[in-house]
Amino acid sequence: MVQRTSSDSAASAEAMVMDLSPKRPAKSYGGEGGSYFDWCPSELPMLRAASIGAAKLSLAAGGLALPFYSDSAKVAYVLQGKGTCAVLLPETPSEKILPIKEGDALALPFGVVTWWHNLHAATTELVVLFLGDTSKGHTAGRFTNMQLTGSTGIFTGFSTEFVARAWDLPQDAAASLVSTQPGAGIVKLKDGFRMPEGCDKDREGMVLNCLEAPLDVDIKNGGRVVVLNTQNLPLVKEVGLGADLVRIDGHSMCSPGFSCDSAYQVTYIVRGSGRVQVVGIDGTRVLETRAEGGCLFIVPRFFVVSKIADDTGMEWFSIITTPNPIFSHLAGRTSVWKAISPAVLQASFSTTPEMENLFRSKRLDSEIFFAPNSNSI
């Protein structure tokens, strides 16, 4: 007999009453160079319950997100535009400067210092999504970023004496150094200021473009999936999170399914829209909503979720709180119902052998996405 702990029961009960509806982020800081947005646990309580942080960086042309590190391991996904990102791994002698573009995914372990830059000649904003694990962070459900420079940088917290001693500078030079960058987190560079260019070689093992990578699932008129794993993005192992990009066509359906290894699913709608239903304990439908591009929602552990796209289709990027997630689907060729004995299925639904046979005979070839038919449009 499996014993259920009081903490598990409390977490399940809490998930039943939480507001699971999709939410948009709020601006945290920014200026002329761009803005940093994040989702707050008070607005989206499942962030705290799952110890997941979610944020979005948007840089205008010439915008620079000053060097920083975070208290959380995370996955970054480029939603829009192209630019440059630098990654400095702990105890490495030099940074890797990466050209980045829409569809790129990066795994950022603990202790990584990054900066992000949108080109002066850019015609669109550079927008990057961050999803990660805050279980070891300062605030459950929210990233804490530590700026190295700027008005909120760590230099400003040390006295001039400490800065001068640490970097062997004259006192006046140390005082000047910590006061010359008045920007907080994000700045806009002057026209003509030359930034280092990215190197394609540095992308190897650091970046996976989910729009160009081989598909893990490809169903005609249904949908496509690219999964981030330790084979195509080795740093995923250090981050401890799984991730995928899912694109379903207009009116297609994603099979009802659940994570069977105690993982939360954190989903950001990249573009398009559709209907979402989530069913929890005692067969209670805990969420029925229409999700649109720019929204984030979280599915609690073991809860069943399904989505049906609107006529424009639907695309989402998700992280799962385990590097090698395991899912069970309730419809399609791999449905658990296909493996259960006919007599048990008949008894479970209290139905006739004919209805059981009809139920089992459907979706014999379908995988996890179901293309629309004349009855579903």
Side-chain angles (χ1 to χ4, degrees), residues 70-279:
S70 176
D71 64 350
S72 306
K74 61 184 75 168
V75 173
Y77 181 72
V78 181
L79 297 168
Q80 174 186 300
K82 59 182 180 180
T84 306
C85 166
V87 177
L88 181 60
L89 298 169
E91 299 183 350
T92 54
S94 61
E95 61 188 358
K96 289 183 178 291
I97 303 178
L98 319 171
I100 56 173
K101 60 182 179 180
E102 181 179 338
D104 280 350
L106 302 85
L108 304 174
F110 282 109
V112 168
V113 174
T114 63
W115 54 258
W116 306 77
H117 176 237
N118 193 10
L119 306 178
H120 277 96
T123 57
T124 185
E125 292 183 331
L126 174 64
V127 184
V128 184
L129 174 72
F130 300 97
L131 301 174
D133 175 18
T134 66
S135 61
K136 297 180 181 178
H138 287 275
T139 304
R142 202 168 198 175
F143 299 133
T144 298
N145 294 331
M146 307 291 286
Q147 304 290 338
L148 296 188
T149 63
S151 61
T152 57
I154 59 173
F155 274 117
T156 62
F158 284 109
S159 66
T160 302
E161 177 193 1
F162 271 61
V163 173
R165 286 284 301 275
W167 283 273
D168 193 21
L169 295 172
Q171 291 279 341
D172 57 347
S176 174
L177 183 67
V178 299
S179 62
T180 50
Q181 176 50 273
I186 300 172
V187 300
K188 185 175 177 65
L189 301 178
K190 296 179 180 179
D191 290 342
F193 188 91
R194 293 182 62 85
M195 288 287 290
E197 296 182 359
C199 173
D200 286 334
K201 183 174 175 52
D202 281 349
R203 288 173 56 92
E204 296 177 6
M206 300 290 296
V207 181
L208 175 73
N209 189 277
C210 296
L211 300 177
E212 300 173 353
L215 297 171
D216 293 280
V217 177
D218 185 8
I219 298 173
K220 185 178 180 180
N221 299 322
R224 292 149 296 283
V225 181
V226 170
V227 178
L228 275 67
N229 54 45
T230 54
Q231 282 71 46
N232 56 25
L233 194 60
L235 285 177
V236 165
K237 182 177 182 180
E238 294 187 39
V239 172
L241 299 168
D244 58 22
L245 177 70
V246 180
R247 291 167 283 171
I248 59 175
D249 298 325
H251 301 291
S252 291
M253 180 180 190
C254 183
S255 168
F258 63 95
S259 168
C260 51
D261 54 1
S262 190
Y264 290 89
Q265 300 175 60
V266 185
T267 299
Y268 176 84
I269 308 300
V270 177
R271 57 179 56 85
S273 59
R275 295 163 53 204
V276 179
Q277 290 188 355
V278 178
V279 176

